[in-house]
Amino acid sequence: MYWNALELLTHFLRSFQGISLLIVMPLSGSLIGLVIRILGNPGEISLTVNNIHSRG
């Protein structure tokens, strides 16, 4: 369900170009900041991202 929601969101956001993109990007960042503030610190995200790129 999570991946489906991300895919739908990606298809929806693909239509924004030019000036509208300058409005959507800060609003998206603000929304993410609000979610992090409400739900709390997501933890060691950088560690997870770094492990994706490690060999082994």
Side-chain angles (χ1 to χ4, degrees), residues 36-45:
I36 289 173
R37 183 157 185 108
I38 292 171
L39 296 179
N41 188 358
E44 293 294 329
I45 296 297

Side-chain angles (χ1 to χ4, degrees), residues 3 8 11 22 24 36 53:
W3 290 111
L8 287 174
H11 287 286
L22 295 175
V24 170
I36 289 173
H53 300 290

Side-chain angles (χ1 to χ4, degrees), residues 14-36:
R14 185 181 300 169
S15 64
F16 290 100
Q17 296 177 2
I19 299 296
S20 64
L21 186 63
L22 295 175
I23 296 169
V24 170
M25 292 303 285
L27 289 176
S28 299
S30 298
L31 180 65
I32 290 169
L34 184 64
V35 167
I36 289 173

